[in-house]
């Protein structure tokens, strides 16, 4: 079987002609396999969706019960036939429920990583390497300049700031799915056991993480009822970055803006966003993780998508691995 009969880039996303399905389609299709719940990968309106139970639950939380026609859940490692093609889901270590999808037929196996990372994250199952002929890797941080530091050390900066500026409200920007729960869990792992206040848009997803056994400690709504700014003096408030441009942020006492994102490695980005305390915490592979993963898997071929495709393609070629960029459009990860 030729690789492009098993998977090929198409306008709606990665398409499997042999099984007539898409992986993470960006527009409504009859049959979709979804790697994880971030909005650029998991969209509403498909006929049938196959995903992990967590991803299906997260899609329902975000889009409502009627987000697709029919749904089927895939356990990690379970082999499922779709129109004569065998598919299986494997942990990607990106966010709760995130999966790589292996697609195989006639002795050819292609693994689509979706978004993934190798670093420790107690809020989701750890990435598992899946041997394959062709590995499709994301490349969000696919430049040698990207090295993500130890997330606990980054969180230590927030703890230090809380001690230094006890009168200020610390507002931590973090995307609502995955990053905010990871930030809260990291705070707990650094010994912070005071209540953490959350923006209303995080509540359902935080509740869902807790229901799946991820302890986030004492969470309370960040609502100022009596309009007294001093209520939140000394507090940590977690919210989506979009909320910080809002009137919502101005109700806090001398707010100190932090932002947890892999992009905080880029000083310019932190500056432009008015971020006083950048925290480099990413749910994607950095450059060493990308290249080590490719070395470890040693596939016959690498396809690169989502981000800095050319640099990683070039690295593969120099390492003697055939590689090509997929140029898929429509992916701007909300959970970097
Ligand atoms: Zn993602």
């Amino acid at each position: 079987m030729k690789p492009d009969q098993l998977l090929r880039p198409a306008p709606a996303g990665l398409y499997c002609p042999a099984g007539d399905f898409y992986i993470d389609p960006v527009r409504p299709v009859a049959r979709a396999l979804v790697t994880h719940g971030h909005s650029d990968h998991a969209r509403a309106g498909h006929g049938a969706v196959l995903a992990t139970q967590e991803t299906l639950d997260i899609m329902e939380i975000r889009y409502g019960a009627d987000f697709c026609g029919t749904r089927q859940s895939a356990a990690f490692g379970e082999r499922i036939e779709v129109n004569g093609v065998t598919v299986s889901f494997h942990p990607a270590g990106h966010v709760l429920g995130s999966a790589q999808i292996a697609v195989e037929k006639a002795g050819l196996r292609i693994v689509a990583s979706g978004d993934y990372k190798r670093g420790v994250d107690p809020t989701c199952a750890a990435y598992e390497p899946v041997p394959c002929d062709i590995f499709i890797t994301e490349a969000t941080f696919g430049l040698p300049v990207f090295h993500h530091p130890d997330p606990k050390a980054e969180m230590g900066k927030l703890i230090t700031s809380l001690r230094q500026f006890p009168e200020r409200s610390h507002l931590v920007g973090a995307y609502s799915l995955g990053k905010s729960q990871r930030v809260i869990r990291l705070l707990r792992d650094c010994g912070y056991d005071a209540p953490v206040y959350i923006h209303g848009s995080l509540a359902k997803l935080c509740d869902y993480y807790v229901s799946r056994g991820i302890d986030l400690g004492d969470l309370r709504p960040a609502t100022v009822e009596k309009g007294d700014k001093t209520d939140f003096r000394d507090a940590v408030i977690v919210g989506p970055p979009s909320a910080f441009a809002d009137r919502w942020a101005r109700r806090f006492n001398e707010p100190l803006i932090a932002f947890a994102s892999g992009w905080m490695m880029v000083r310019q980005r932190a500056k432009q966003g008015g971020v006083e305390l950048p925290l480099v915490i990413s749910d994607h592979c950095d450059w060493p993780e990308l290249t080590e993963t490719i070395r470890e898997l040693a596939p016959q071929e690498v396809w690169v998508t989502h981000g800095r495709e050319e640099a990683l393609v070039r690295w593969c070629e120099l390492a003697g691995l055939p590689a090509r960029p997929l140029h898929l459009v429509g992916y701007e990860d909300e959970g970097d």
Side-chain angles (χ1 to χ4, degrees):
M1 164 152 293
K2 283 191 177 149
D4 73 347
Q5 290 173 277
L6 200 50
L7 277 179
R8 72 164 70 129
L14 261 182
Y15 178 61
C16 174
D20 192 23
F21 60 81
Y22 287 85
I23 295 177
D24 291 352
V26 295
R27 57 181 77 152
V29 300
R31 183 176 293 278
L33 276 56
V34 175
T35 60
H36 67 288
H38 280 144
S39 55
D40 52 336
H41 294 260
R43 298 181 192 241
H46 304 308
V49 172
L50 175 60
T52 63
Q53 187 59 51
E54 286 91 346
T55 296
L56 294 173
D57 291 342
I58 288 165
M59 290 176 81
E60 178 164 335
I61 289 168
R62 305 190 110 181
Y63 303 128
D66 59 350
F67 71 86
C68 67
T70 61
R71 63 183 95 171
Q72 182 184 350
S73 73
F76 285 137
E78 180 188 0
R79 293 169 68 80
I80 297 170
E81 295 290 312
V82 181
N83 300 327
V85 173
T86 305
V87 303
S88 53
F89 288 61
H90 307 269
H94 178 57
V95 296
L96 185 60
S98 66
Q100 313 169 69
I101 298 177
V103 175
E104 51 190 294
K105 189 179 168 93
L108 179 71
R109 183 193 282 166
I110 304 180
V111 169
S113 71
D115 293 336
Y116 70 110
K117 72 173 176 293
R118 307 296 304 265
V120 176
D121 178 355
T123 68
C124 63
Y127 170 92
E128 282 176 15
V130 182
C132 54
D133 302 295
I134 298 172
F135 183 55
I136 306 177
T137 181
E138 61 134 323
T140 305
F141 294 103
L143 284 175
V145 69
F146 289 113
H147 288 248
H148 298 147
D150 174 10
K152 264 193 163 176
E154 290 299 288
M155 195 44 71
K157 292 178 185 169
L158 178 63
I159 303 278
T160 303
S161 178
L162 282 160
R163 275 193 213 114
Q164 270 176 330
F165 307 105
E167 72 290 353
R168 298 185 69 183
S169 300
H170 284 65
L171 267 59
V172 183
Y175 291 99
S176 56
L177 169 60
K179 187 59 62 63
S180 44
Q181 295 79 19
R182 188 177 179 209
V183 160
I184 295 165
R185 187 60 246 167
L186 271 166
L187 265 169
R188 302 310 188 197
D189 290 340
C190 288
Y192 186 83
D193 53 13
V196 170
Y197 296 86
I198 57 170
H199 184 268
S201 64
L202 306 184
K204 281 185 181 167
L205 286 168
C206 285
D207 286 349
Y208 181 66
Y209 268 62
V210 170
S211 79
R212 301 303 286 196
I214 293 142
D215 183 7
L216 300 177
D218 186 355
L219 298 183
R220 298 185 190 179
T223 42
V224 188
E225 275 164 20
K226 284 161 273 165
D228 185 353
K229 285 188 170 195
T230 58
D231 284 355
F232 291 93
R233 207 164 43 187
D234 196 12
V236 174
I237 299 124
V238 180
S242 55
F244 290 4
D246 210 37
R247 274 175 56 198
W248 179 80
R250 290 199 287 275
R251 45 176 112 163
F252 299 105
N253 199 54
E254 298 178 57
L256 188 153
I257 307 285
F259 184 22
S261 163
W263 294 112
M264 289 298 99
M265 253 211 75
V266 184
R267 227 170 262 261
Q268 196 90 3
R269 286 229 192 183
K271 245 187 186 171
Q272 279 168 356
V275 177
E276 215 172 316
L277 181 63
L279 304 171
V280 185
I281 299 173
S282 176
D283 286 329
H284 294 271
C285 285
D286 62 4
W287 178 260
E289 289 175 82
L290 288 170
T291 54
E292 278 156 29
T293 301
I294 293 168
R295 272 211 187 92
E296 179 182 349
L297 294 174
Q300 285 161 27
E301 203 174 319
V302 178
W303 296 352
V304 185
T305 181
H306 302 10
R308 316 299 177 111
E309 300 182 348
E310 305 300 337
L312 197 56
V313 165
R314 183 86 188 114
W315 179 90
C316 290
E317 286 167 356
L318 291 172
L321 273 169
R324 68 166 172 126
L326 289 186
H327 303 303
L328 290 170
V329 292
Y331 301 92
E332 278 293 328
D333 205 74
E334 60 153 335
D336 53 43

